[in-house]
Amino acid sequence: IFSPNQNRSEFEDSDLDNWGLTFEWSAALSDKIDLRTRYTASTFRLKESRREPRNSNGVTNGEYVENEIEDKRVDLSVQVELDQKTDLNVGYELSNHGVTFDDQIRGDNPQEIDRRNGNGDINSLYLSVKRQFGDHLIVDAGLRSNHFSVGDQSFLAPKLFVSYVVSRSFFLKGSATGAYQYVRQNFANDFDDFRIENQFWTLADENIPVLRGKQYMFGGLLDHGSWLFDVELYQKDVKNVIRPGDNLDPDEMVNITGDLAVRGIDLLVKKRWEGFESWISYSLSHAEETFRVAQQGPNRLVTRDAFYDQKHVMNLKIIAPVNRWNLAMSWSLMSGVPVYEADADAIL
């Protein structure tokens, strides 16, 4: 990036490494009892550097950020067929999250901006029952109990999925779920052409709360001949969203928490003919966040579009078989997103 008016140049390098593996073993203990065990491990590493030559003598200031996530989990579950229309699923999962984050400035004025090294275990017990009522209604209800070792915190996450078969080619669907997220994004609302900053992650701790979310969905699917139509309306409410904020003490930076509300509709149309497939998807959504900002006197309530709010997204994909290969071509059209200056509430 070069600004001729300010005689200023800036260089940015990003290095991303992400890999994972899964081992799974399953066995039928009887005609009605199945056992499954799974081990998963993954690693995410992100390094970013920004350098800006300050003077003609070549002195350079640079910000260097390193972020790493190591995720390991073991899952053991048993599925029991209680009768022809009822299945029971019971399981236990142990997961471990290790997150390191190092943000510092090197050069003629070095300083440490942020350094964290967190590790936490999550012990989970879960149970779900799937039941078919008659020939049309299917209900899948469950409950998950999580214990997070950091702060000795416990959470309950219910889920409910409902399907109603109207005909052989058309059914309605709905869901209501609760969820918690322990590894969460760490970012600043600052203008960034690459938006790479939004990929930095940190582990929840005594200063960064666990994300709490609820999501509701209602939709329908029609699969008739060579056509498929799928539509979903959804609502998502999230608590403990974080953004950087100024404390009343100008020498101390703090995070402020707030809420996030997302509303939207997703539409998918699929067409098949003579081996070819075409997909058209369209999403209409709005993401809005609300924060209570500390100031002299009563707190100030700030409601604004989320920095990633993207109202319209449309994708087109065509898949063509060629001998033993499938060739795909895609095209996307989407609206823009808001741009904020650091620690400011007004959209640029």
Side-chain angles (χ1 to χ4, degrees):
I1 304 172
F2 177 69
S3 173
N5 295 333
Q6 301 181 22
N7 192 25
R8 170 182 171 185
S9 58
E10 180 179 314
F11 303 89
E12 180 167 337
D13 297 317
S14 298
D15 182 12
L16 175 63
D17 180 23
N18 191 12
W19 68 271
L21 57 87
T22 299
F23 296 100
E24 182 174 324
W25 177 81
S26 59
L29 302 183
S30 69
D31 293 340
K32 296 186 176 182
I33 302 177
D34 294 326
L35 174 68
R36 190 201 69 180
T37 180
R38 175 186 297 175
Y39 172 76
T40 303
S42 64
T43 299
F44 169 92
R45 295 187 184 93
L46 175 62
K47 297 181 180 180
E48 181 183 1
S49 64
R50 301 180 183 181
R51 304 179 308 280
E52 179 184 334
R54 309 278 301 199
N55 306 313
S56 58
N57 59 8
V59 176
T60 302
N61 266 352
E63 182 177 2
Y64 296 82
V65 184
E66 295 186 12
N67 190 200
E68 180 175 341
I69 304 173
E70 289 191 355
D71 181 271
K72 301 180 180 67
R73 60 187 66 207
V74 179
D75 184 274
L76 176 65
S77 65
V78 178
Q79 183 172 327
V80 182
E81 182 183 327
L82 300 180
D83 56 48
Q84 291 184 348
K85 293 187 176 182
T86 308
D87 291 329
L88 171 68
N89 188 45
V90 181
Y92 167 76
E93 182 184 76
L94 170 63
S95 58
N96 174 264
H97 301 309
V99 183
T100 59
F101 184 83
D102 185 12
D103 185 359
Q104 58 182 293
I105 293 179
R106 304 172 189 171
D108 54 346
N109 185 25
Q111 58 180 300
E112 183 177 292
I113 299 177
D114 193 0
R115 174 171 289 181
R116 302 176 192 175
N117 188 359
N119 190 283
D121 294 326
I122 303 171
N123 288 273
S124 303
L125 291 172
Y126 57 89
L127 180 147
S128 65
V129 178
K130 186 177 182 180
R131 172 72 177 178
Q132 181 176 341
F133 298 89
D135 297 329
H136 298 280
L137 181 62
I138 301 174
V139 178
D140 186 354
L143 183 65
R144 187 182 186 98
S145 174
N146 297 334
H147 179 267
F148 187 38
S149 62
V150 179
D152 192 22
Q153 305 176 73
S154 297
F155 307 92
L156 288 177
K159 70 169 187 176
L160 176 65
F161 298 92
V162 179
S163 300
Y164 186 83
V165 180
V166 179
S167 66
R168 295 181 59 182
S169 59
F170 177 61
F171 71 87
L172 299 174
K173 54 184 176 178
S175 67
T177 59
Y180 300 89
Q181 185 172 318
Y182 309 93
V183 178
R184 50 180 302 163
Q185 289 176 316
N186 181 42
F187 62 89
N189 289 326
D190 198 359
F191 180 74
D192 180 5
D193 288 328
F194 300 98
R195 306 190 75 82
I196 194 71
E197 66 194 10
N198 305 325
Q199 297 188 46
F200 292 135
W201 298 84
T202 187
L203 187 70
D205 55 25
E206 62 276 5
N207 298 315
I208 301 178
V210 174
L211 277 175
R212 303 166 179 253
K214 297 178 182 179
Q215 182 165 331
Y216 309 94
M217 182 274 295
F218 176 77
L221 186 144
L222 174 64
D223 191 352
H224 182 72
S226 61
W227 289 92
L228 182 144
F229 298 88
D230 189 0
V231 61
E232 293 183 353
L233 294 88
Y234 62 88
Q235 172 181 325
K236 182 186 300 184
D237 298 309
V238 182
K239 293 186 178 298
N240 295 335
V241 178
I242 283 181
R243 56 162 282 194
D246 287 324
N247 195 11
L248 296 179
D249 182 356
D251 296 327
E252 182 182 359
M253 291 296 295
V254 297
N255 289 323
I256 57 177
T257 58
D259 301 329
L260 173 68
V262 184
R263 311 288 185 270
I265 179 173
D266 293 335
L267 173 65
L268 171 66
V269 179
K270 179 179 176 181
K271 169 66 175 175
R272 303 177 293 269
W273 74 93
E274 297 181 358
F276 290 85
E277 288 188 5
S278 62
W279 303 62
I280 299 178
S281 65
Y282 171 72
S283 296
L284 173 65
S285 65
H286 178 61
E288 186 177 74
E289 55 187 13
T290 302
F291 295 94
R292 288 174 175 83
V293 181
Q295 62 179 10
Q296 296 292 346
N299 291 344
R300 177 168 54 95
L301 189 65
V302 176
T303 299
R304 65 180 195 177
D305 295 340
F307 73 94
Y308 51 82
D309 179 52
Q310 200 161 36
K311 187 174 183 179
H312 303 281
V313 178
M314 184 173 67
N315 295 290
L316 171 64
K317 177 181 289 187
I318 298 177
I319 303 175
V322 179
N323 297 326
R324 300 175 62 182
W325 295 82
N326 282 331
L327 301 181
M329 180 176 63
S330 61
W331 177 80
S332 300
L333 178 65
M334 59 198 71
S335 56
V337 295
V339 174
Y340 296 95
E341 287 186 320
D343 307 322
D345 298 319
I347 300 176
L348 293 178

